[in-house]
């Protein structure tokens, strides 16, 4: 799918990117569970996710593997290990978040351009939130889900979802997305890539918008989005399977959340350790060849 002239990645490097994204974003999602939430009328104000983590990874590394890894991390650590996996309904969130982060990574062709980084970060979050808003409105509009709106005024759902979209763009898009990403990318660029034995991208990659926005990609994106929407609609109509919500987890109380946090942290440390060893062995091989 990725048609940009990027550095070549080995299978081990792709897997390492996937594991790093999975463990980092999974760990971040667990910490957001500890943050307070505020409800003002029908609008919930909370930190949905720390968007700067997947945004930074898809821009610095292979966007596809980083995006998929982040989505898998959210499902494993944010849903399965917490006993809150919605089964088929989780497919919608997985597809839309992966597409949003993947597109954000493709939009950046020059990591030294703060303008490109900023636009890509906002576009990525906007795609994710817009698709989520469309699905939520659709569920109410077609009578699949009820919402506390103004009685007799179905159009009020548009105002509620519009306000929710705006708050998400401010909190997740700007405060925990745009600002940290603009701060981190210049400081990580050229420093984190060598850990995986990957050369940092230099200069500007020659690629136009049509270089990746092909007809095939658009069709595939629309098809996957449609599949996700259908899966969410089916889940809301109780046509669901693979749901994981065990009751025995309730006996552990709120302290149980530290178990998946520890698991994600261990996986992250192990992944970094393996990456450092890979870099060391690669350097030794190069020195041996030069000798």
């Amino acid at each position: 799918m990725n048609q940009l002239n990027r550095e070549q990645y080995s299978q081990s490097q792709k897997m390492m990117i996937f594991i790093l994204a999975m463990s980092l974003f999974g760990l971040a999602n667990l910490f957001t569970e500890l943050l307070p939430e505020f409800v003002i009328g029908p609008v919930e104000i909370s930190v949905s996710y720390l968007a700067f983590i997947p945004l930074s990874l898809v821009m610095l590394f292979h966007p596809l593997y980083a995006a998929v890894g982040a989505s898998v991390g959210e499902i494993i650590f944010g849903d399965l290990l917490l006993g809150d996996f919605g089964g088929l309904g989780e497919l919608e969130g997985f597809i839309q978040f992966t597409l949003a982060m993947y597109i954000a990574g493709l939009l950046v062709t020059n990591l030294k351009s703060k303008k490109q980084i900023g636009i890509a970060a906002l576009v990525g979050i906007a795609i994710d939130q817009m698709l989520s808003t469309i699905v939520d409105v659709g569920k109410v509009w077609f009578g699949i889900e009820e919402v506390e709106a103004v009685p007799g005024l179905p159009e009020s759902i548009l105002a509620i979802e519009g306000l929710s979209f705006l708050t998400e763009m401010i909190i997740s898009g700007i405060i925990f997305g745009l600002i940290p990403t603009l701060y981190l990318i210049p400081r990580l660029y050229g420093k984190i890539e060598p850990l995986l034995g990957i050369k940092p991208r230099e200069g500007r990659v020659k690629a136009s918008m049509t270089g990746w926005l092909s007809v095939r990609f658009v069709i595939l994106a629309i098809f996957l989005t449609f599949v996700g929407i259908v899966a969410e609609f089916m889940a809301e109509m109780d046509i669901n399977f693979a749901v994981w919500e065990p009751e025995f987890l309730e006996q552990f109380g709120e302290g149980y959340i530290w178990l998946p946090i520890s698991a994600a942290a261990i996986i992250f440390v192990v992944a970094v350790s393996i990456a450092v060893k890979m870099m060391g062995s690669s350097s030794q091989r190069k020195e041996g060849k030069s000798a």
Side-chain angles (χ1 to χ4, degrees):
M1 293 173 67
N2 188 2
Q3 299 179 14
L4 293 181
N5 183 25
R6 295 175 180 265
E7 298 288 341
Q8 295 296 318
Y9 294 84
S10 65
Q11 288 300 321
S12 60
Q13 289 168 342
K14 291 176 181 178
M15 181 58 66
M16 195 59 59
I17 292 169
F18 175 87
I19 294 173
L20 282 174
M22 179 186 71
S23 57
L24 264 179
F25 193 55
L27 187 61
N29 270 279
L30 289 169
F31 278 116
T32 59
E33 294 290 332
L34 301 174
L35 298 177
E37 299 180 355
F38 303 95
V39 178
I40 302 177
V43 179
E44 181 180 295
I45 299 176
S46 62
V47 181
S48 298
Y49 47 71
L50 302 181
F52 68 90
I53 293 177
L55 285 172
S56 299
L57 292 174
V58 297
M59 294 177 190
L60 289 167
F61 300 113
H62 196 297
L64 179 59
Y65 289 88
V68 174
S71 296
V72 172
E74 181 180 8
I75 289 177
I76 292 177
F77 298 103
D79 297 327
L80 281 173
L81 289 183
L82 289 180
D84 188 27
F85 182 68
L88 183 63
E90 300 292 343
L91 184 61
E92 178 250 340
F94 175 85
I95 291 175
Q96 71 184 31
F97 187 77
T98 301
L99 280 175
M101 292 299 104
Y102 177 63
I103 292 173
L106 291 179
L107 286 175
V108 179
T109 58
N110 180 11
L111 282 168
K112 295 181 179 180
S113 172
K114 289 189 175 182
K115 181 179 179 180
Q116 277 194 22
I117 294 171
I119 292 174
L122 289 177
V123 168
I125 300 300
I127 291 174
D128 180 43
Q129 295 301 323
M130 182 59 70
L131 291 176
S132 178
T133 299
I134 292 173
V135 172
D136 290 342
V137 171
K139 287 189 294 186
V140 176
W141 211 265
F142 290 105
I144 298 175
E145 182 182 65
E146 295 183 1
V147 67
E148 293 182 4
V150 179
L153 187 61
E155 291 81 2
S156 63
I157 184 61
L158 297 176
I160 294 172
E161 290 297 334
L163 185 58
S164 177
F165 174 83
L166 181 61
T167 56
E168 285 291 343
M169 286 302 300
I170 293 174
I171 298 174
S172 300
I174 297 178
I175 299 177
F176 292 98
L178 174 64
I179 296 175
T181 302
L182 287 174
Y183 175 83
L184 287 173
I185 292 292
R187 287 159 179 79
L188 293 176
Y189 177 52
K191 301 178 181 67
I192 191 173
E193 297 93 338
L195 287 175
L196 301 181
I198 300 172
K199 293 181 180 180
R201 289 163 53 188
E202 297 180 1
R204 181 179 178 84
V205 180
K206 295 181 179 179
S208 62
M209 184 67 72
T210 56
W212 61 270
L213 191 60
S214 62
V215 175
R216 184 178 65 177
F217 176 79
V218 173
I219 293 175
L220 181 60
I222 293 174
F223 172 74
L224 290 175
T225 302
F226 176 75
V227 170
I229 292 174
V230 171
E232 179 64 18
F233 279 22
M234 290 175 63
E236 288 294 332
M237 293 186 293
D238 293 329
I239 307 174
N240 202 0
F241 56 87
V243 178
W244 170 251
E245 295 179 351
E247 296 181 0
F248 70 86
L249 293 181
E250 296 180 0
Q251 63 183 330
F252 293 100
E254 296 181 357
Y256 175 78
I257 194 173
W258 293 104
L259 178 61
I261 286 177
S262 301
I266 291 171
I267 292 175
F268 172 69
V269 171
V270 170
V272 172
S273 301
I274 293 174
V276 172
K277 289 182 180 179
M278 287 172 55
M279 182 184 66
S281 60
S282 178
S283 300
Q284 291 177 0
R285 285 196 298 268
K286 289 180 180 179
E287 291 177 358
K289 289 180 181 180
S290 60

